[in-house]
Amino acid sequence: MILDKTISKDREKNVSIRKMIEENKQSVSFSNIVETLIPKILLIIAVISILTTAGILITLLAETIEFFKDVPFIEFFTGTVLKPLGENAQFGVLPLLMGTFMSSIIAMIVAIPIGLMTAIYLSEYASEKVRRIVKPILEILAGIPTIVYGFFALTFVTPILRAIIPELDPTNILSPGIVMGIMIIPMVASLSEDALSAVPNAMREGALGLGATKLEVTWKVVVPAAISGIVASFVLGISRAIGETMIVTIASGSSKNFTFDLTQSMQTMTAYIVEVTGGDAPAGSTLYYSLYAVAMTLFVFTLIMNLIAQYISRKFREEY
């Protein structure tokens, strides 16, 4: 009896061990399948992204080429008059470039100093309690829809500016530029604060140990060490300003003026695209193809700016 019990127990142990081995084999087999599939799935996702970008480029190029069959290349990029309607239509892109650059410059004049100072305060001076209050407020600003900013610029900021500058037009480039800067502040502040916080504390402590003040440590040690991230935040802010649509569409008007006067109404490239697509531009017309020419111009300028930004960031990273 004792021998039979021992044999039965051994058999039960052998069965349980076999089950464990089989289960382990199944789990290993499933893990191998997952390990094999995941890289392929990621590759497919990456290829889809590349194909999407290629599709956008091909579409823009094809329609832009059709536009330049009717409008000379030199006339488009050197013309200071944009009158897309009528028999004597003129398609000079310089008024749109001027409006885009003016609004972006105004926005960055507002966003860069305020955003950078906010980031420095949060990273180097603010207590944990203050940081918990200020950061959510910045996130709320970043989450406000741009159409709300547009109406804010038109109905609140513009009347205040007109009280200060009587010659300011009801729709102008100054008001949306300022509001765009307010909108971009959270982006610049958040990215710059992340870059500043990533600087090792040993660098701060070493500078303080050598007798530097808190202000000297911030401006001569921390900021130079984080300069590549700070520059990247500036560039992303500029790209955001150039690509902004709703604020300038609502508050800057549709006058295609080629001027440096900030009090006048001006139109940006994105606002022009919205205006024409919202109208009755027949497919295949020069007006229709002008949308793609302007979009291609916007794409090229943004690409060039991002390449320059990468070069600048790399140079700063090498130097510091």
Side-chain angles (χ1 to χ4, degrees), residues 198-272:
V199 176
N201 282 328
M203 295 180 66
R204 297 179 176 86
E205 294 168 356
L208 290 171
L210 292 172
T213 64
K214 183 71 173 177
L215 185 63
E216 289 173 336
V217 171
T218 299
W219 285 106
K220 296 183 179 181
V221 176
V222 179
V223 171
I227 194 66
S228 62
I230 293 172
V231 171
S233 73
F234 294 167
V235 173
L236 287 175
I238 295 170
S239 299
R240 182 72 180 84
I242 291 175
E244 173 53 37
T245 303
M246 293 310 302
I247 296 176
V248 289
T249 301
I250 294 171
S252 68
S254 58
S255 299
K256 300 159 183 64
N257 295 321
F258 181 70
T259 177
F260 290 94
D261 189 355
L262 301 180
T263 64
Q264 293 187 20
S265 174
M266 301 174 72
Q267 192 173 47
T268 65
M269 288 186 281
T270 53
Y272 174 78

Side-chain angles (χ1 to χ4, degrees), residues 9 11 42 77 79 137 142 227 231 314:
K9 287 181 180 179
R11 286 176 179 174
L42 294 176
F77 284 104
I137 294 175
I227 194 66
V231 171
R314 196 181 305 113

Side-chain angles (χ1 to χ4, degrees), residues 91-130:
F91 292 92
V93 78
L94 286 182
L96 300 182
L97 289 175
M98 179 63 70
T100 301
F101 290 144
M102 294 295 284
S103 62
S104 300
I105 290 170
I106 295 169
M108 298 319 295
I109 288 174
V110 174
I112 286 178
I114 297 177
L116 181 58
M117 294 304 106
T118 302
I120 290 174
Y121 174 72
L122 290 175
S123 174
E124 304 301 317
Y125 294 96
S127 63
E128 189 62 32
K129 182 179 179 181
V130 173

